[in-house]
Amino acid sequence: MNNLYILVGVPASGKSTLAWNQKWRHDCAIVSTDFFVEDYAKRVGKTYTEVFDDYMPIAVELMVNQVLICKANDTDVIWDQTSTTVASRAKKIRMLPDYYKIAVVFKTPPATELTKRLAARGGKEVPWEVVSKMAQQLETEPPT
């Protein structure tokens, strides 16, 4: 049985850092819209932030295709997105029903640390209000 690792946390909480720094990740596909947005921004000479709104629908479609390829090739998947709500995780789980699911939940860093990490992302800006709202709405367990 293949594994689906769903990374759960706000932007700059350490999800991508963890995913890319694991030795065992070489046997997994890391799935994220970020790759597609970053690649497109680079190709058109803009920042992630500048292309985000317009390109995100295309990035989502490309990511879904990547997931379907992983499924067809029996590849383990690390899903590197915020996945802060039960509903967003449920969509991912439905795409890979026969996978063993593992959620990796990242604590939201203190505001001073989070602000520093967000500022260090160069051209990949997420408004503080958005990050703050995500942190407040973070669901780590299904509702009872």
Side-chain angles (χ1 to χ4, degrees):
M1 178 178 284
N2 293 93
N3 293 318
L4 167 60
Y5 303 91
I6 300 175
L7 307 186
V8 179
V10 300
S13 61
K15 299 179 305 296
S16 297
T17 300
L18 175 96
W20 284 102
N21 289 316
Q22 299 303 310
K23 290 181 181 178
W24 52 264
R25 74 135 175 106
H26 296 290
D27 294 329
C28 303
I30 300 177
V31 173
S32 175
T33 53
D34 280 355
F35 304 140
F36 300 110
V37 175
E38 289 168 0
D39 179 63
Y40 177 73
K42 186 177 179 179
R43 285 187 281 126
V44 298
K46 294 186 176 184
T47 67
Y48 179 99
T49 304
E50 290 172 323
V51 302
F52 182 87
D53 288 336
D54 291 335
Y55 195 72
M56 184 50 71
I58 296 166
V60 169
E61 188 177 317
L62 292 168
M63 182 192 64
V64 167
N65 288 337
Q66 183 184 15
V67 171
L68 295 175
I69 290 168
C70 290
K71 183 178 178 181
N73 292 326
D74 289 326
T75 304
D76 288 348
V77 172
I78 299 172
W79 209 310
D80 182 9
Q81 286 188 297
T82 56
S83 303
T84 55
T85 66
V86 171
S88 67
R89 292 191 295 275
K91 287 180 187 178
K92 295 167 178 72
I93 288 168
R94 282 193 299 272
M95 288 185 69
L96 298 169
D98 297 328
Y99 278 57
Y100 182 75
K101 287 81 173 174
I102 302 160
V104 182
V105 180
F106 292 76
K107 289 184 179 180
T108 302
T112 53
E113 176 64 21
L114 189 56
T115 301
K116 187 170 81 174
R117 290 182 189 182
L118 287 165
R121 292 165 41 125
K124 190 174 178 182
E125 299 165 16
V126 180
W128 178 253
E129 301 79 36
V130 173
V131 175
S132 181
K133 186 176 180 180
M134 285 178 155
Q136 291 171 0
Q137 295 177 339
L138 178 65
E139 299 172 321
T140 57
E141 297 180 19
T144 54

